[in-house]
């Protein structure tokens, strides 16, 4: 588990691998599973309504985390399958890939989960997710009017996020 | 140091039909492997539902902190997946090769019952050879 010492935004965002808009959507969940933010850029397929979709996504991440924690071939001490774990405990994962999309995942020590869904050919997005987390800290957490645990509805955060994601490889 | 930690084969309804461990730490009993297999089956299905574009066939590669999981699904719905060291290459070829071995030594075995656990000696022999060869090829690179 990595901790993020500096909260100030890096002067330059991490280098992008290619140009063009190939991000599909982003989800931000808090540790209770409340969806703080959902944005989509190009999503042609909607199989479920928004709330069901978010619940399914959170469930998928939760279960995949317990799967990786149990499957971890390196650690000797493993908890039973399905036992809830604190952020940073046990083996987690950072991305998975299917033939149509790639999902990158990051969990912060406070249990905030950031999920970015992109084109399957995108490279490693861990640094980009850290940068998005920094945006969240700067534009949302430091906003005195923001009540923690409520959906994010800030124009400035959304436009900055859109701008950053549009330039993402 | 093992490049491949374990191999699982699950049938089209999510039941574990073959599991082989090549030296992962910690102990996992049969119930745990069965649970993991059916959990993977469900996660594979859910990932198709969440796809932003149509035509999704499920997770191919899961990158965890300490391992990579490569999954191959055959046209009939049987899933093969290997747990290997992070960054191991050419796992798709190995999975396709294992699928070939499965069709040759398991499906063509007249005593094998479909969707039931695999107990075929020839399959196991050829499988261990394939994994060994992969390991040697890895050391050579």
């Amino acid at each position: 588990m990595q901790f993020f010492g500096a909260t100030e935004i890096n002067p330059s965002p991490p280098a992008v691998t290619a140009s063009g808009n190939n991000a599909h959507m982003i989800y931000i969940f808090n540790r209770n599973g409340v969806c703080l933010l959902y944005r989509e850029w190009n999503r042609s397929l909607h199989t479920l309504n928004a709330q069901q979709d978010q619940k399914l996504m959170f469930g998928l991440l939760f279960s995949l985390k317990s799967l990786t924690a149990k499957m971890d071939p390196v650690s000797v001490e493993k908890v039973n399958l399905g036992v809830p774990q604190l952020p940073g405990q046990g083996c987690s994962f950072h991305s998975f890939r299917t033939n149509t999309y790639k999902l990158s995942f990051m969990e912060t020590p406070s249990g905030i989960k950031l999920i970015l869904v992109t084109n399957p050919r995108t490279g490693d997005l861990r640094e980009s997710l850290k940068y998005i987390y920094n945006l969240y800290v700067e534009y949302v957490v430091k906003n005195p009017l923001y009540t923690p645990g409520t959906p994010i509805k800030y124009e400035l955060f959304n436009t900055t996020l859109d701008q950053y994601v549009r330039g993402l490889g | 140091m093992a490049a491949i930690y374990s191999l699982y084969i699950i049938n089209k309804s999510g039941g574990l039909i073959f599991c082989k461990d090549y030296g992962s730490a910690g102990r996992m009993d049969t119930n745990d492997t069965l649970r993991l297999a059916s959990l993977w089956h469900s996660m594979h299905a859910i990932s198709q539902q969440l796809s932003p574009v149509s035509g999704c066939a499920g997770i191919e590669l899961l990158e965890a902190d300490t391992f990579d999981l490569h999954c191959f699904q055959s046209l009939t719905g049987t899933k093969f997946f290997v747990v290997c060291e992070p960054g191991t290459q050419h796992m798709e070829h190995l999975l396709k090769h294992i699928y070939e071995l499965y069709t040759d030594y398991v499906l063509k075995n007249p005593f094998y019952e479909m969707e039931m656990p695999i107990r075929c000696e020839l399959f196991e022999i050829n499988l261990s050879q394939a994994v060994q060869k992969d390991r040697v090829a890895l050391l050579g690179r």
Side-chain angles (χ1 to χ4, degrees):
Chain A
M1 188 71 205
Q2 66 275 53
F3 289 90
F4 317 107
T7 53
E8 75 272 14
I9 294 182
N10 309 329
S12 58
V16 293
T17 46
S19 62
N21 185 10
N22 51 23
H24 292 294
M25 56 238 193
I26 189 167
Y27 298 78
I28 299 179
F29 292 102
N30 73 358
R31 63 173 169 210
N32 299 323
V34 178
C35 188
L36 302 180
L37 180 83
Y38 170 73
R39 281 185 82 72
E40 60 181 46
W41 293 284
N42 40 18
R43 181 174 192 180
S44 55
L45 184 71
H46 291 85
T47 45
L48 302 158
N49 68 39
Q51 205 196 357
Q52 294 287 329
D53 182 74
Q54 287 155 16
K55 274 189 198 170
L56 198 64
M57 177 57 83
F58 188 81
L60 174 71
L61 298 170
F62 183 89
S63 308
L64 272 182
K65 255 195 82 182
S66 50
L67 181 119
T68 52
K70 185 69 198 175
M71 204 169 251
D72 184 9
V74 177
S75 81
V76 180
E77 288 293 313
K78 281 180 277 204
V79 296
N80 282 329
L81 196 62
V83 174
Q85 291 193 306
L86 292 172
Q89 264 187 339
C91 174
S92 183
F93 69 102
H94 59 83
S95 75
F96 71 74
R97 196 190 67 204
T98 76
N99 57 340
T100 55
Y101 67 98
K102 175 175 175 162
L103 183 145
S104 309
F105 168 72
M106 183 182 92
E107 189 173 28
T108 70
S110 56
I112 300 283
K113 290 181 175 69
L114 293 127
I115 298 103
L116 189 61
V117 179
T118 53
N119 188 295
R121 285 178 302 280
T122 342
D124 195 336
L125 288 177
R126 276 180 276 186
E127 287 303 315
S128 310
L129 282 173
K130 272 192 205 172
Y131 184 77
I132 293 173
Y133 177 62
N134 278 340
L135 290 181
Y136 162 78
V137 171
E138 291 296 321
Y139 288 92
V140 180
V141 178
K142 291 189 182 175
N143 185 334
L145 298 177
Y146 177 66
T147 321
T150 55
I152 300 164
K153 291 189 184 90
Y154 296 117
E155 195 62 35
L156 194 57
F157 175 65
N158 286 347
T159 47
T160 319
L161 182 68
D162 284 359
Q163 207 177 5
Y164 175 64
V165 170
R166 202 164 294 132
L168 213 59
Chain B
M1 186 70 92
I4 299 165
Y5 290 117
S6 46
L7 164 77
Y8 295 75
I9 302 177
I10 45 186
N11 66 18
K12 61 174 179 245
S13 38
L16 184 71
I17 55 172
F18 187 82
C19 173
K20 189 124 184 107
D21 192 276
Y22 296 99
S24 42
R27 225 173 50 83
M28 269 213 279
D29 57 27
T30 322
N31 281 331
D32 286 333
T33 51
L34 282 167
R35 272 190 219 119
L36 276 181
S38 52
L39 185 58
W40 179 253
H41 180 77
S42 333
M43 294 307 111
H44 199 267
I46 291 176
S47 71
Q48 297 176 15
Q49 286 238 318
L50 285 167
S51 173
V53 285
S54 55
C56 184
I59 307 179
E60 289 171 354
L61 166 67
L62 172 75
E63 291 177 295
D65 298 344
T66 57
F67 65 90
D68 276 5
L69 191 156
H70 291 258
C71 180
F72 167 71
Q73 186 175 25
S74 76
L75 289 174
T76 48
T78 311
K79 277 187 270 297
F80 299 76
F81 64 95
V82 285
V83 178
C84 59
E85 278 178 7
T88 315
Q89 303 287 310
H90 310 293
M91 279 296 131
E92 298 80 19
H93 295 110
L94 180 72
L95 283 170
K96 293 244 167 75
H97 185 59
I98 292 171
Y99 177 47
E100 267 175 43
L101 294 177
Y102 167 77
T103 52
D104 281 345
Y105 295 102
V106 180
L107 294 186
K108 290 178 189 173
N109 183 340
F111 299 106
Y112 175 68
E113 265 184 86
M114 285 302 284
E115 316 298 335
M116 294 303 278
I118 298 169
R119 284 198 191 82
C120 301
E121 204 185 328
L122 271 178
F123 175 66
E124 299 223 9
I125 292 169
N126 283 278
L127 180 70
S128 57
Q129 271 173 5
V131 172
Q132 195 64 41
K133 216 165 80 186
D134 193 77
R135 215 172 269 181
V136 171
L138 200 85
L139 285 174
R141 274 199 287 273

